[in-house]
Amino acid sequence: MASRLNPYISFSGEAKQAMEFYKEVLGGSLAVNTYGAFGSEAPPGYADKIMHSLLETPSGFTLMGADNPPGIERKPGNNFAVSLSGDDLDELRGYWDKLSDGGTVSVPLEKQMWGDVFGMCTDKFGITWMVNISEQQR
């Protein structure tokens, strides 16, 4: 899989409805994973909330979204991030190293409960980045 760059939108409980709406508007296929899909790892009250969703359209658009996890307040301006994802470990780790240099790491780039390597940081310009490296090719 080639690396991709796309927006990632955070919601406060309405991610499923919003992503279904965007699918109606843009077409394509929507994949949705709830916090509960990962069993005991789901925060209390979050089993049916969206941990990750991916909309891919026939026009080549990609949009990702999720409900904010507990303790993360959604405010205008902090409700989106730029997502870098793919399966090229060296390429994506290189982007991570440069983006996080001089910035703030909120989630270290490491293996997560869903099996991929993931990290989140805010770069020195205040932009939030999410890097997800699929385990498929590692």
Side-chain angles (χ1 to χ4, degrees):
M1 162 176 38
S3 296
R4 71 170 94 189
L5 178 123
N6 59 272
Y8 200 114
I9 304 171
S10 296
F11 299 92
S12 24
E14 69 280 351
K16 186 173 194 298
Q17 298 89 335
M19 294 301 288
E20 287 173 347
F21 169 73
Y22 300 139
K23 179 183 181 217
E24 286 179 28
V25 171
L26 302 169
S29 62
L30 176 63
V32 175
N33 295 302
T34 63
Y35 283 91
F38 296 99
S40 64
E41 299 290 334
Y46 273 70
D48 294 329
K49 300 290 184 199
I50 305 306
M51 182 176 171
H52 175 71
S53 63
L54 168 66
L55 174 63
E56 295 180 297
T57 75
S59 296
F61 303 147
T62 299
L63 181 63
M64 295 180 184
D67 288 311
N68 275 351
I72 305 294
E73 182 183 359
R74 180 181 181 256
K75 296 184 266 183
N78 79 347
N79 58 334
F80 75 94
V82 181
S83 172
L84 280 168
S85 57
D87 57 16
D88 188 323
L89 178 69
D90 294 333
E91 176 186 24
L92 291 163
R93 188 174 293 279
Y95 295 146
W96 169 264
D97 291 343
K98 292 172 185 172
L99 288 165
S100 62
D101 185 32
T104 304
V105 172
S106 53
V107 177
L109 187 66
E110 59 190 22
K111 189 164 180 117
Q112 301 295 326
M113 65 181 172
W114 59 89
D116 294 349
V117 172
F118 173 83
M120 189 162 56
C121 68
T122 302
D123 70 21
K124 60 187 172 186
F125 299 105
I127 303 301
T128 301
W129 292 85
M130 304 167 95
V131 176
N132 191 87
I133 306 167
S134 172
E135 71 174 346
Q136 294 175 0
Q137 298 296 318
R138 285 183 278 140

